[in-house]
Amino acid sequence: RSSKSMNPMVFVAAGGRLLARFLRKADKRVWMVVGVVVAVAAMQAQYLMDVGIRLGSTPLDPRTGILIPPSKGDLEDIFTGKAALCVGCTKGIGRGIAEALSEVGASPVAVVGRTAAPTNQFAADLSTVKGCHSLSDALKEKGTVYDYVFLTVGVWPNFRDPFTADGLERTLAIDLLARHVVLSRLVEDDLLADGAVIVNTLASAQQFPFVNKQSIKHRLTTRRPPTSLFGTLFPIAVAADAYLSAAAKHFRTDTTHQQISRKQRNLTFAGVFPGVVKTDVQAATLPAWALPLVKAAMTPFARSPRECGFAHLAIAARAPSDHDCCNGVTFWTHLLEGRLAHHLAYDADLIDLVWDVLANHSTVLRSGGAVGLL
């Protein structure tokens, strides 16, 4: 085949010509029907997307139910004067959360991103364990004790450059390990307030029918480049929910944290699925020619980062702190629906595996070693 015939735009152009030929032959009645369908779909795009998300979500959790959206005044009463840390929040979902926090009176709002700017912003390379500890050292030096922590740092798989400087696949390194290292250091350095709420944003409460324990173990313990988008993201998402259960268990009862985490035994964890949001997280995964098409296709039904930010605040404000009810861990969608996690996120063996792998990677890489992956 010639290079010209392999260009995806050739197929797009051919499809456009076929559609134009069909429309030229269509009479007025067809045009009217097409127009009505397109208009209705455009007006109801967000509703239809929400229906699809509900169908793909796990069952509702009867212990948490569906939240009534709090008013802005309610959020101001809850967040005013509260210290918040937003990790991975200089753009996209995280920026929406940080701006929403500032809008309802949270202070200080510390923001972590790739580059630093104003006061209370920290620059960090969270793709490496060394970078995560550098951030944690800066937070320790600052000394702020946080009431709320929002972990949104994350990436999609990068097929062109799949591994970090630590030798780990990027979604494992950033979506899981970076969050573990930062959260562990917050506990170790006693920077979490009594009853602090940790919100972990990835893809909680989704069914993911093709994910099994073996696929999760494969992503955690082997050094192989990603072969597909969903085959990489979905196992990591389930592992992230399992990690929250592990964190709730270890940070409250682990003897290594017994002295320094006395007040952190009241930590509340919430895993959140943010829905479809207008971000550029796809940039490292998709080819450059596809990005404008994807963004255009997402426009009718994607939520803005600001909408997503206020949904996160509602969840953080209302997430149950009754540990006898939920063991301190709940899972939510952006629709404020409390849902059960994927069934594997409750598997005791998998919970222990996720914790052991992340703790081992953190220890080995912090000491300058290399992780042993197949």
Side-chain angles (χ1 to χ4, degrees), residues 307-318:
E307 290 177 285
C308 190
F310 273 97
H312 278 72
L313 265 58
I315 291 167
R318 303 297 193 203

Side-chain angles (χ1 to χ4, degrees), residues 50-51 53-54 66-67 273 303 311 315 333-337:
D50 290 346
V51 170
I53 288 174
R54 286 189 173 101
I66 301 174
L67 296 179
F273 174 60
R303 279 178 163 75
I315 291 167
T333 69
H334 66 294
L335 302 172
L336 307 188
E337 297 170 346

Side-chain angles (χ1 to χ4, degrees), residues 110-341:
V111 176
V112 179
R114 293 185 180 91
T115 57
T119 306
N120 289 325
Q121 290 207 0
F122 298 85
D125 175 11
L126 299 180
S127 68
T128 67
V129 166
K130 181 180 178 181
C132 293
H133 281 291
S134 295
L135 166 65
S136 298
D137 291 340
L139 293 173
K140 183 179 181 180
E141 183 178 354
K142 187 79 172 179
T144 304
V145 176
Y146 297 103
D147 301 286
Y148 294 90
V149 176
F150 294 87
L151 302 171
T152 67
V153 59
V155 296
W156 281 16
N158 188 326
F159 299 107
R160 297 179 293 276
D161 184 19
F163 300 109
T164 66
D166 283 341
L168 298 176
E169 194 274 318
R170 290 188 180 277
T171 57
L172 169 61
I174 300 173
D175 298 10
L176 279 179
L177 183 57
R179 301 181 189 210
H180 167 70
V181 173
V182 172
L183 186 55
S184 296
R185 282 292 304 272
L186 288 171
V187 172
E188 291 174 11
D189 298 333
D190 210 17
L191 296 180
L192 295 177
D194 186 19
V197 178
I198 293 90
V199 179
N200 193 56
T201 302
L202 203 57
S204 293
Q206 301 303 295
Q207 295 185 41
F208 300 142
F210 301 110
V211 173
N212 54 48
K213 193 182 292 189
Q214 186 60 36
S215 65
I216 297 172
K217 184 177 180 181
H218 172 82
R219 292 256 57 95
L220 293 176
T221 61
T222 63
R223 188 185 186 277
R224 297 178 184 175
T227 56
S228 69
L229 174 61
F230 300 130
T232 302
L233 287 180
F234 290 176
I236 291 293
V238 176
D241 285 350
Y243 172 72
L244 291 186
S245 296
K249 169 185 172 183
H250 284 269
F251 290 146
R252 292 204 305 270
T253 62
D254 195 330
T255 56
T256 60
H257 297 99
Q258 197 166 37
Q259 297 301 317
I260 53 182
S261 66
R262 190 165 296 162
K263 65 183 180 182
Q264 277 88 31
R265 292 177 186 175
N266 294 321
L267 293 178
T268 295
F269 296 84
V272 179
F273 174 60
V276 181
V277 185
K278 298 171 185 174
T279 72
D280 60 355
V281 70
Q282 315 93 344
T285 302
L286 301 177
W289 62 265
L291 282 174
L293 300 177
V294 171
K295 289 185 176 181
M298 288 173 57
T299 298
F301 53 80
R303 279 178 163 75
S304 69
R306 186 177 186 278
E307 290 177 285
C308 190
F310 273 97
H312 278 72
L313 265 58
I315 291 167
R318 303 297 193 203
S321 57
D322 182 357
H323 291 195
D324 293 332
C325 161
C326 307
N327 296 318
V329 186
T330 53
F331 303 95
W332 304 84
T333 69
H334 66 294
L335 302 172
L336 307 188
E337 297 170 346
R339 293 186 173 270
L340 298 171

